[in-house]
Amino acid sequence: MAVAIENLDDVQVIVLAERIDSSNAVETEAAVRRALDAGPKILLDMEELVYVSSAGLRVVLLAAKQMRSVGGKIAVCGVAGNVRQVFEISGFLSLFSVYPDRLAALTALRT
């Protein structure tokens, strides 16, 4: 699992790559919390994410709850393959604003 955080002016972009599962969910959650503390607009870029378990879904849900509790905005982009199937089955596609790519998500967050 790899997590990278990019600061694009008013948006914190959290790039999630490879896998998020029980072996790295705590590390991922810590990185996400740091980004959440840095600003009110978050983009979860999942273009390079190939697997997410229930532990990973928990991290994503906690991020959304925290952003909503402070009146922030959160968007998700690049959800494809197995990750998209997990999001569909779990109902997460209806919980998040999901965009096909980073540009579309950034545009939506900034409007």
Side-chain angles (χ1 to χ4, degrees), residues 29-90:
E29 183 177 342
V32 169
R33 285 191 185 276
R34 284 191 303 276
L36 294 173
D37 290 341
K41 295 179 184 177
I42 299 293
L43 171 56
L44 298 174
D45 185 339
M46 299 185 179
E47 187 174 334
E48 297 178 27
L49 191 65
V50 296
Y51 177 81
V52 63
S53 72
S54 59
L57 289 177
R58 180 185 159 281
V59 171
V60 172
L61 187 57
L62 286 174
K65 285 183 177 182
Q66 184 172 345
M67 289 307 294
R68 290 186 178 124
S69 73
V70 298
K73 293 174 128 181
I74 188 166
V76 179
C77 73
V79 182
N82 292 334
V83 175
R84 185 167 193 86
Q85 288 179 334
V86 171
F87 268 60
E88 286 175 1
I89 291 167
S90 65

Side-chain angles (χ1 to χ4, degrees), residues 10-28:
D10 60 337
V11 179
Q12 299 297 311
V13 179
I14 304 168
V15 180
L16 302 169
E18 300 171 25
R19 305 172 56 90
I20 303 175
D21 54 30
S22 60
S23 70
N24 58 28
V26 171
E27 173 189 341
T28 304

